[in-house]
């Protein structure tokens, strides 16, 4: 990070560590529901969950049904210093990447029309008993939701409207739903595919792998970890747990069976704070392991215009998707900051859902639009981003935050321009680093004969994304209500530091009078 007078804005950032010995559980669900569900939908979700366990060694168990998945980390995990926002955003981001990537495998004849998005939260289970209760609760919800869905969609297919079908089965209990299925459709609920009734459990287990054969022909096995997907009737049972040694080792032992759990008890574990009202909210996302990502895809150094324009395109999509809440964005390299107006009530200002939804949507868009900017390059390593949300009390401090990020852009670009010029001249990366350690970058630029001011302005000043409200009008509808026309989202590469001319020309972007807080 660059040193500047604007760095004080970092003091508004709060730590959100899930303290040991709490178990870290991440729950994610699709932001937009697609119904009715079919086996392909569920298998796609399961495939994404498997990929998460393959990518992150600290995730040892996942359970999912419909459009949701829960991921359980091993008890001793130090994944991203156990910071809730980072853990959640990385899981939801990577899951979204995989979802887009694997879509074609499950729907070869069907286009993915819009970027999927998953919002979520972190659940901090204080003990193995609490984890057991949580898993039982989710599987109970799976049963209830599936019974409802099975009745609901059959009624709709038979001719009822969705409202009529809902009214017909609203308030029905488990036995009533089973009776409706049998009496109305001659369906025995217990014979339906277990993937619907019981959900899917993805976990790591130990299997014997034949590595060679002895002289007498006997196989010689070596134990190795393998990820499996099962549809067990009760994943929170001692029997299921005891069958899998890794669960016992990484999570602990279930002492006794439980059959009932109160939802209020489990919800008390949720690590889900609301952001302070009447404050501006900044969601900053950063690429995970993007040094490796850029090397694998052979990005031009020090700046790849295609990669930056892809990031900008994703930022534009985010503003269009969250048009009622996000008023400005600033991006450089593999990071982007999104400014939510101080009156926003997005997800009731729940930090976890806001962060995960924005990061997830950005990631999905990145994967879907990759070919638009890299038509000759395959996406060989899936991108993911982490995120955080910070509250700022005034528009002035928000401008200082943005100034901090643009100063950082200036200094990092100067450093990178010098670094890669030295590497191009024949120095190793380590030699280039030593040469620049403690150096005055402006002098180095002159020594290396870099015409810095002639570099593309996007490299030097980053990208600012905002709504062009010049033609902003109110559209009056037939019902007498009016809605605001947002105009177009534009990308500019301009000076936004301090009280620059940009803010004088666009006073409405951070005009606090336009964003009066409404009670949540």
């Amino acid at each position: 990070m660059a040193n500047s007078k604007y760095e004080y804005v970092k003091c508004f950032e709060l730590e959100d560590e899930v303290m040991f010995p709490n178990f870290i559980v991440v729950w994610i669900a699709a932001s937009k529901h697609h119904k009715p569900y079919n086996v392909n939908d569920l298998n796609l979700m399961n495939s994404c969950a498997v990929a998460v366990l393959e990518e992150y060694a600290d995730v040892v168990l996942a359970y999912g049904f419909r459009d949701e998945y829960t991921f359980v980390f091993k008890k001793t995990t130090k994944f991203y210093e156990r910071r809730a926002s980072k853990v959640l955003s990385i899981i939801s981001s990577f899951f979204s990447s995989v979802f887009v990537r694997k879509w074609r495998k499950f729907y070869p004849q069907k286009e993915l029309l819009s970027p999927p998005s998953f919002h979520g939260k972190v659940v901090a289970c204080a003990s193995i008993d609490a984890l057991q209760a949580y898993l039982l609760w989710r599987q109970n919800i799976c049963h209830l939701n599936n019974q409802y869905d099975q009745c609901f969609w059959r009624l709709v297919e038979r001719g009822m409207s969705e409202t009529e079908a809902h009214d017909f089965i609203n308030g029905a209990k488990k036995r009533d739903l089973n009776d409706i299925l049998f009496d109305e459709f001659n369906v025995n609920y217990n014979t339906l595919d277990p993937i619907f009734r019981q959900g899917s459990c993805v976990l790591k287990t130990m299997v014997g792998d034949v590595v060679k054969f002895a002289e007498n022909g006997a196989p010689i096995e070596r134990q190795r970890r393998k990820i499996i997907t099962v549809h067990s009737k009760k994943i929170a049972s001692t029997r299921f747990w005891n069958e899998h040694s890794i669960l016992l080792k990484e999570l602990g032992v279930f002492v006794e069976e439980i059959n009932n759990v109160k939802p209020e008890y489990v919800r008390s574990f949720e690590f889900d704070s609301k952001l302070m009202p009447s404050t501006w909210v900044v969601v900053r996302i950063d690429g995970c392991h993007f040094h490796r990502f850029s090397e694998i895809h052979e990005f031009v150094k020090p700046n790849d215009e295609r990669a930056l324009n892809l990031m900008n395109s994703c930022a534009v999509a985010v503003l269009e998707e969250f048009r009622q809440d996000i008023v400005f964005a600033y991006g450089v390299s593999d990071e982007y900051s999104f400014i939510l107006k101080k009156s926003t009530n997005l997800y009731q200002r729940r930090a976890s859902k806001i962060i995960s939804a924005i990061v997830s949507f950005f990631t999905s868009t990145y994967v879907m639009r990759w070919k638009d900017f890299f038509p000759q390059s395959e996406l060989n390593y899936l991108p993911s981003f982490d995120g955080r949300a910070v509250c700022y009390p005034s528009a002035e401090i928000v401008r200082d935050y943005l100034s901090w990020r643009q100063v950082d852009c200036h200094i990092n670009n100067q450093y990178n321009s010098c670094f890669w010029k030295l590497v191009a001249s024949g120095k190793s990366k380590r030699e280039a680093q030593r040469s620049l350690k403690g150096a005055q970058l402006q002098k180095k630029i002159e020594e290396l004969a870099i015409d810095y001011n002639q570099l593309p302005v996007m490299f030097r000043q980053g990208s600012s994304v905002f709504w062009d409200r010049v033609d902003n009008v109110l559209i009056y509808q037939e019902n007498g209500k009016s809605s605001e026309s947002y105009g177009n989202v534009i990308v500019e590469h301009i000076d936004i530091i301090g009280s620059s001319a940009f803010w004088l020309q666009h006073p409405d972007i951070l005009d606090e009078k336009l964003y009066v807080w409404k009670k949540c």
Side-chain angles (χ1 to χ4, degrees):
M1 295 295 182
N3 293 317
S4 72
K5 68 178 183 179
Y6 301 110
E7 271 200 300
Y8 79 91
V9 299
K10 291 195 291 185
C11 72
F12 291 93
E13 297 182 8
L14 302 176
E15 296 296 329
D16 57 353
E17 179 182 353
V18 180
M19 299 301 293
F20 186 83
N22 288 285
F23 290 92
I24 297 178
V25 177
V26 170
W27 174 88
I28 64 172
S31 297
K32 294 180 179 178
H33 300 290
H34 303 282
K35 300 175 182 178
Y37 300 99
N38 57 47
V39 172
N40 271 1
D41 291 334
L42 300 177
N43 284 331
L44 172 55
M45 292 286 289
N46 294 346
S47 180
C48 296
V50 169
V52 170
L53 267 70
E54 290 173 340
E55 181 73 10
Y56 304 111
D58 282 13
V59 182
V60 296
L61 172 71
Y63 175 72
F65 61 94
R66 295 178 76 186
D67 63 346
E68 74 165 62
Y69 243 101
T70 292
F71 298 93
V72 182
F73 286 74
K74 65 181 183 180
K75 187 173 184 178
T76 58
T77 184
K78 295 182 180 178
F79 188 71
Y80 281 86
E81 292 77 44
R82 299 175 66 94
R83 292 180 62 179
S85 58
K86 286 205 168 190
V87 174
L88 169 62
S89 56
I90 289 168
I91 295 298
S92 58
S93 175
F94 185 77
F95 193 95
S96 300
S97 265
V98 179
F99 191 97
V100 175
R101 183 65 174 269
K102 290 181 176 286
W103 173 269
R104 183 66 67 184
K105 176 181 177 181
F106 293 91
Y107 292 99
Q109 306 301 325
K110 185 178 178 182
E111 288 294 326
L112 182 59
L113 299 178
S114 61
S117 168
F118 296 86
H119 65 262
K121 56 192 170 187
V122 170
V123 181
C125 293
S127 65
I128 188 66
D129 294 338
L131 176 61
Q132 184 182 21
Y134 176 86
L135 293 174
L136 175 62
W137 175 53
R138 294 322 300 159
Q139 193 162 40
N140 285 344
I141 295 295
C142 168
H143 284 296
L144 292 173
N145 285 352
N146 184 58
Q147 286 178 314
Y148 180 92
D149 287 345
Q150 294 292 341
C151 292
F152 180 86
W153 291 109
R154 281 178 169 81
L155 291 170
V156 171
E157 289 172 0
R158 196 169 67 177
M160 282 190 182
S161 68
E162 293 188 12
T163 300
E164 291 171 336
H166 174 74
D167 292 342
F168 184 78
I169 58 178
N170 187 34
K173 296 181 180 180
K174 179 178 178 180
R175 181 175 297 178
D176 298 330
L177 294 171
N178 281 348
D179 289 343
I180 291 172
L181 280 173
F182 188 79
D183 295 340
E184 299 287 337
F185 304 102
N186 197 29
V187 172
N188 183 342
Y189 180 78
N190 292 325
T191 63
L192 295 177
D193 194 325
I195 196 173
F196 293 105
R197 293 184 290 112
Q198 296 164 185
S200 301
C201 187
V202 180
L203 69 153
K204 294 174 180 176
T205 188
M206 300 298 295
V207 297
D209 189 18
V210 177
V211 294
K212 60 180 180 180
F213 292 89
E215 292 182 359
N216 61 2
I220 298 176
E221 292 187 347
R222 178 180 298 166
Q223 291 293 307
R224 65 179 180 86
R225 292 194 176 193
K226 181 181 179 181
I227 297 172
I228 61 173
T229 302
V230 298
H231 313 291
S232 176
K233 186 175 182 179
K234 193 174 181 181
I235 63 171
S237 67
T238 56
R239 178 179 178 180
F240 178 81
W241 219 249
N242 292 336
E243 288 174 350
H244 303 285
S245 60
I246 290 181
L247 298 183
L248 298 172
K249 177 183 177 182
E250 302 287 10
L251 298 174
V253 179
F254 288 165
V255 176
E256 58 184 24
E257 298 288 356
I258 57 173
N259 297 311
N260 297 299
V261 61
K262 293 182 178 180
E264 298 79 12
Y265 167 68
V266 182
R267 290 194 184 103
S268 67
F269 308 149
E270 293 176 1
F271 197 94
D272 193 14
S273 60
K274 286 191 176 183
L275 297 167
M276 184 180 296
S278 198
T279 58
W280 298 87
V281 178
V282 176
V283 173
R284 184 167 80 244
I285 69 173
D286 292 277
C288 295
H289 308 299
F290 254 66
H291 287 296
R292 179 183 176 189
F293 183 87
S294 63
E295 289 177 359
I296 289 175
H297 296 101
E298 300 179 336
F299 282 8
V300 177
K301 302 294 185 178
N303 296 286
D304 192 308
E305 191 169 357
R306 301 165 302 172
L308 295 175
N309 283 327
L310 172 54
M311 292 285 291
N312 295 342
S313 176
C314 296
V316 169
V318 170
L319 261 71
E320 291 173 340
E321 178 72 9
F322 300 94
R323 62 179 59 226
Q324 294 182 346
D325 299 279
I326 299 178
V327 297
F328 189 83
Y330 176 75
V332 56
S333 185
D334 62 344
E335 79 165 52
Y336 243 102
S337 297
F338 297 95
I339 315 299
L340 284 74
K341 60 188 180 183
K342 64 188 302 182
S343 62
T344 184
N345 196 32
L346 181 64
Y347 290 112
Q348 293 76 50
R349 296 180 74 93
R350 287 185 170 88
S352 58
K353 288 194 174 185
I354 291 174
I355 295 167
S356 54
I358 291 176
V359 171
S360 174
F361 184 83
F362 188 98
T363 309
S364 297
T365 306
Y366 192 100
V367 177
M368 289 182 69
R369 297 188 180 183
W370 172 264
K371 276 297 184 181
D372 295 340
F373 296 87
F374 292 89
Q376 306 304 320
S377 177
E378 290 296 324
L379 187 58
N380 296 316
Y381 177 77
L382 289 177
S384 61
F385 298 82
D386 67 62
R388 73 187 72 187
V390 184
C391 295
Y392 295 102
S394 69
E396 180 183 2
I397 297 178
V398 172
R399 286 197 298 271
D400 283 352
Y401 168 85
L402 293 169
S403 298
W404 171 50
R405 300 317 306 135
Q406 191 166 59
V407 168
D408 199 59
C409 169
H410 280 295
I411 295 178
N412 285 345
N413 190 57
Q414 287 179 330
Y415 180 93
N416 289 334
S417 297
C418 294
F419 177 86
W420 289 104
K421 185 68 177 287
L422 290 169
V423 172
S425 70
K427 289 184 179 294
S428 68
K429 292 181 179 180
R430 181 170 295 180
E431 290 172 335
Q433 288 174 340
R434 284 200 296 262
S435 177
L436 293 174
K437 187 176 182 179
Q440 292 186 4
L441 292 176
Q442 191 59 46
K443 287 186 177 181
K444 274 292 182 181
I445 286 173
E446 294 173 1
E447 290 174 9
L448 296 170
I450 298 173
D451 193 352
Y452 188 78
N453 291 330
Q454 293 305 308
L455 294 178
V457 67
M458 177 168 61
F459 301 168
R460 293 181 284 117
Q461 295 187 337
S463 301
S464 296
V465 185
F466 53 96
W467 288 96
D468 181 7
R469 297 177 183 268
V470 174
D471 299 322
N472 197 26
V473 296
L474 290 178
I475 300 176
Y476 293 94
Q477 302 171 345
E478 292 182 1
N479 59 10
K481 296 183 179 180
S482 61
S483 60
E484 190 175 8
S485 171
Y486 286 80
N488 297 315
V489 179
I490 60 177
V491 180
E492 291 190 358
H493 316 295
I494 45 179
D495 180 15
I496 58 172
I497 294 176
S499 301
S500 63
F502 173 79
W503 298 113
L504 296 176
Q505 295 166 3
H506 301 85
D508 59 309
I509 292 177
L510 297 179
D511 187 344
E512 295 183 327
K513 295 178 181 178
L514 295 178
Y515 309 122
V516 179
W517 178 68
K518 298 179 181 179
K519 186 176 181 181
C520 298

